[in-house]
Amino acid sequence: MCGIVCYIGRQPALPILVEGLKRLEYRGYDSSGLAIHNGSEVQLVRELGPIRNLERKLGSSQWSGTSGIAHTRWATHGAPSEENAHPHGDCRGEIYVAHNGIIENYRELKSDLERRGHCFRSQTDTEVLAHLIEEFQDSSLEEATQQALERVIGTYGLAILSRKFPDKLVVARRGSPIILGIGAGETLAASDVSALLRHTRKVIYLQDGEIAVLEQDRFRILSHQQKWIRRSPETVEWDSEAAEMQGYPHFMLKEIHEQPEAIQNAMRGRLLWEEGTAKLGGLEAVADRLRQARHMIIVSCGSSYFAGLLGRYVLERLTSLSVEVELASEFRYRKLNFRKGTVVLAISQSGETADTLAAIREAKRKGALVLGLVNVVGSTLTRETDAGVYNHAGPEIGVASTKTFISQMVILHLIALFLGRQQEVPIAEGQRIQEGLQKLPDQVRHILSRQDRISDLARRYCGYHHFFYLGRKYNYPVALEGALKLKEIAYLHAEGYAAGEMKHGPLALIDEEFPSVCIVPRDSSYEKMVSNVQEIKARRGKVIALTSEQDGDICSLADEVFPLPSNLEILTPILAVVPLQLFAYYAALHRGCEIDRPRNLAKSVTVE
Ligand code: F6R
């Protein structure tokens, strides 16, 4: 999500850190900052906005310090601002911390530290780390770090600088990458190899639970069993551009592959097993009003709208809410009856989509409780809603949404679980859904491991000009999403349809030149989907089926079969979307389309 870079060596650290930050800027940049040790003092600078703002603030500063840590932030806790920018300091300005990841128990840690007299200056989860380390100030920096981290629940890639220890920096990793760069007379570390490559190609990937001490001429690694261990550097062959994409040819493919992590991040700290429910901190303040709600209107655009359509099925299945889903751009034209207790949920990756913002403003005028499901922290939508939930999916750079769509689907399940458990969903069913959710990251990994098969399919089918995408029930919204992906990335005409609608008109288009992609898991609508496939086959239409069946009717009927792992019916769309994203990606690749920036489109649609 965010980016970290640190340096200790013989050269002034400032230009090296700034250059490293620029390499990481593609990961997100609502603010940035750095702390440098000049031998006796620590100099700190932080600024809102892109790195160029930080450079402007630094002006012609010639700081001579030769060790420092730097960070480019993509907000998760606390809006983008100078005071929330990293590095964060302790009470005495002795210890500075730059952090990627999420400290799940930061509220408890913060209250405890406040009771002990610590004074906080930011709204971030990160700041607790600086104060926690301060608690162990009599130990060495690495010991203090290790003791502090024992109290932390959550994920981190961490860089720490202490005024007391000018000759070392400490880094640590759990769940968020930290890579050491081993140079001649200098040691670096970063959250991403791209920030190291101008200095060295010799790197060491820190493992989860490890802490490393960086010094000018050496490094030491403390294992998670608290033993000092040796590890030899490996040599990176990529150039820095390829490194930004971590070896993927496009951001879209990288982001498709980040989906297991996006699912984990969407659920992290939010599942309460004992109670079979979900805990959504962002909704706590409005929990009572939500409990009384009887009617929900979801507003959103594009892929976020399709996630909302799935949300309707899931919310109606698990709660007694009646749910409507409205395209944000059409919202103003409806005379929606806002009953007492109407809740409006806006879904938006960017939080800046003009139509979605206009819709929530209208909903607020009508007195509704307005919630947001948003990826970009501090975006306009988060400031204008009464409460909400963040995706924590990290920046999405490819124009076509992938990992944020999957994350939206997961969080809508969590919202439904949270509300459903307050109504009729029994604890055992809540736990069953949790088990299903927890299987998803590995099942998505399994699908991703078979991407060559989809690439082959896409190569053979990308010469057709028209496609249907068909599904029923939970998989109908995913059929719409699959068709949208093919349109926007591969510039191929694709129509998503509820399979039951085919006989009401669209079937007339079917012939051998009009293939259909059908989502047919073994679930309550399986038999009906098989009948729809039969109707297509009877008209010589080609069928690509996604199915969890090993050898059922669908396997003999369809021209192509791509296997889906089995999971609860309600969760299958989260699996089915992955081959559809890959199909669009490879179709675009084989057709030579510009993938990350498709023609005529923008990542954030800020006009109505
Ligand atoms: C499609 C896509 C768009 C967005 C839509 C809404 O891949 O990304 O359809 O989903 O423009 O954007 P957000 O979610 O930022 O409001």
Side-chain angles (χ1 to χ4, degrees), residues 57-75:
K57 190 165 186 178
L58 282 161
S60 53
S61 305
Q62 301 282 331
W63 296 359
S64 57
T66 58
S67 75
I69 62 175
H71 188 263
T72 172
R73 178 168 188 251
W74 200 79

Side-chain angles (χ1 to χ4, degrees), residues 71-126:
H71 188 263
T72 172
R73 178 168 188 251
W74 200 79
T76 60
H77 292 72
S81 69
E82 190 184 328
E83 67 179 8
N84 285 336
H86 303 211
H88 289 286
D90 65 345
C91 296
R92 303 157 307 145
E94 287 277 321
I95 292 156
Y96 289 88
V97 171
H99 165 228
N100 290 352
I102 296 172
I103 307 300
E104 288 164 22
N105 60 339
Y106 87 98
R107 283 195 190 84
E108 295 91 298
L109 291 173
K110 188 170 175 176
S111 335
D112 188 33
L113 287 160
E114 278 173 337
R115 269 195 299 277
R116 295 169 60 79
H118 289 262
C119 214
F120 283 78
R121 300 182 195 91
S122 75
Q123 289 88 51
T124 63
D125 53 338
T126 300

Side-chain angles (χ1 to χ4, degrees), residues 137-150:
Q137 53 181 294
D138 295 333
S139 312
S140 70
L141 186 57
E142 54 275 27
E143 280 163 8
T145 303
Q146 185 249 315
Q147 290 176 73
L149 292 180
E150 278 174 10

Side-chain angles (χ1 to χ4, degrees), residues 122 360 372 383-384 398 403 407 412 428 442 464 470 473 529:
S122 75
I360 62 153
R383 284 182 269 118
E384 297 196 13
K403 64 174 178 172
S407 164
L412 285 161
D442 278 344
Y464 291 92
L470 306 175
K473 203 174 171 180
M529 278 302 300

Side-chain angles (χ1 to χ4, degrees), residues 301-304 348-350 353 399-401 484-485 488 605:
C301 301
S303 296
S304 298
S348 174
Q349 184 286 128
S350 60
T353 301
V399 163
S401 64
L484 177 64
K485 290 281 96 84
E488 64 175 332
V605 184

